[in-house]
Amino acid sequence: MSQQEYSDQPKWYVVHTYSGYENKVKTDLEKTIKNRELDDYFFNIIVPMEEQVEIKDGKRKTNLKKVFPGYVLVKMIVTEESWYVVRNTRGVTGFVGSGTDPIPLTDEEIKKMGFDVVPVNIDYVEGDNVKVLNGPLEGFVGTVQEINKEKQKVKVLVSMFGRETPVELEFSQVEKVD
């Protein structure tokens, strides 16, 4: 990797993977980021999917299909370490770019793809009680501990098994309760 100046702002990069490894790369990368405590450099990892409706034997069936097979989109801040972690994830063949330098997607490219997260307006603040709308904790009520607008995540203290447990959820997974 050349010694060019990298931005300290997160940008979207396209990572090339072996076909069929996209979800594995996403999962492995998320594990490595957590283990190495690199959360400050990684903001989102997406395997873009689109719904495809198929009509077979008169039955309507919806399934998810990868939009870009062989590619994973990563919103990250490139440093020697974050670049190394992605490059050395099993199934990754490299970044899309020129030579060894990862080239971020332009705002225009991101808009065209329509996958960048649109800011979600939330009506809760730290200290508010919220109800979990879906996932394994559906129906649980907890207290908002922290809101991360950049990652669109909310940390909620949920009472489980007699103790308060912090849980990280997507903005859309919780709603304010009065």
Side-chain angles (χ1 to χ4, degrees), residues 42-76:
F42 291 90
F43 296 85
N44 207 340
I45 301 169
I46 300 178
V47 177
M49 306 288 262
E50 66 185 357
E51 276 189 5
Q52 196 176 32
V53 177
E54 202 178 304
I55 297 173
K56 206 174 186 176
D57 303 329
K59 291 193 178 78
R60 199 183 156 93
K61 193 178 151 206
T62 306
N63 53 25
L64 288 175
K65 178 179 170 274
K66 292 183 186 106
V67 181
F68 308 113
Y71 295 96
V72 175
L73 301 163
V74 182
K75 188 173 192 177
M76 63 186 279

Side-chain angles (χ1 to χ4, degrees), residues 3-160:
Q3 293 304 313
Q4 69 177 52
E5 287 304 304
Y6 285 104
S7 168
D8 57 354
Q9 289 302 306
K11 293 191 182 319
W12 283 102
Y13 293 89
V14 180
V15 177
H16 194 264
T17 69
Y18 292 121
S19 190
Y21 272 74
E22 302 87 353
N23 291 321
K24 179 132 184 52
V25 164
K26 176 179 164 53
T27 309
D28 290 353
L29 198 47
E30 286 168 343
K31 271 190 211 142
T32 306
I33 291 163
K34 207 171 202 59
N35 292 342
R36 293 198 179 194
E37 297 178 356
L38 293 171
D39 290 356
D40 293 346
Y41 299 99
F42 291 90
F43 296 85
N44 207 340
I45 301 169
I46 300 178
V47 177
M49 306 288 262
E50 66 185 357
E51 276 189 5
Q52 196 176 32
V53 177
E54 202 178 304
I55 297 173
K56 206 174 186 176
D57 303 329
K59 291 193 178 78
R60 199 183 156 93
K61 193 178 151 206
T62 306
N63 53 25
L64 288 175
K65 178 179 170 274
K66 292 183 186 106
V67 181
F68 308 113
Y71 295 96
V72 175
L73 301 163
V74 182
K75 188 173 192 177
M76 63 186 279
I77 294 173
V78 172
T79 64
E80 289 288 333
E81 191 176 10
S82 67
W83 181 84
Y84 178 85
V85 163
V86 175
R87 279 284 297 123
N88 290 283
T89 298
R90 232 181 90 210
V92 169
T93 57
F95 279 93
V96 172
S98 64
T100 54
D101 291 327
I103 307 285
L105 291 171
T106 64
D107 291 345
E108 197 53 43
E109 289 168 322
I110 292 164
K111 263 193 209 92
K112 271 189 194 141
M113 288 183 195
F115 71 81
D116 199 17
V117 185
V118 178
V120 176
N121 290 324
I122 51 173
D123 64 347
Y124 46 84
V125 294
E126 289 177 17
D128 278 352
N129 285 333
V130 291
K131 182 166 123 191
V132 182
L133 300 173
N134 55 35
L137 300 175
E138 185 176 340
F140 276 83
V141 173
T143 309
V144 175
Q145 189 181 21
E146 193 181 301
I147 295 172
N148 183 334
K149 284 196 157 67
E150 178 69 51
K151 290 189 178 183
Q152 299 218 343
K153 302 250 188 203
V154 58
K155 197 175 278 178
V156 179
L157 275 182
V158 177
S159 185
M160 279 193 295

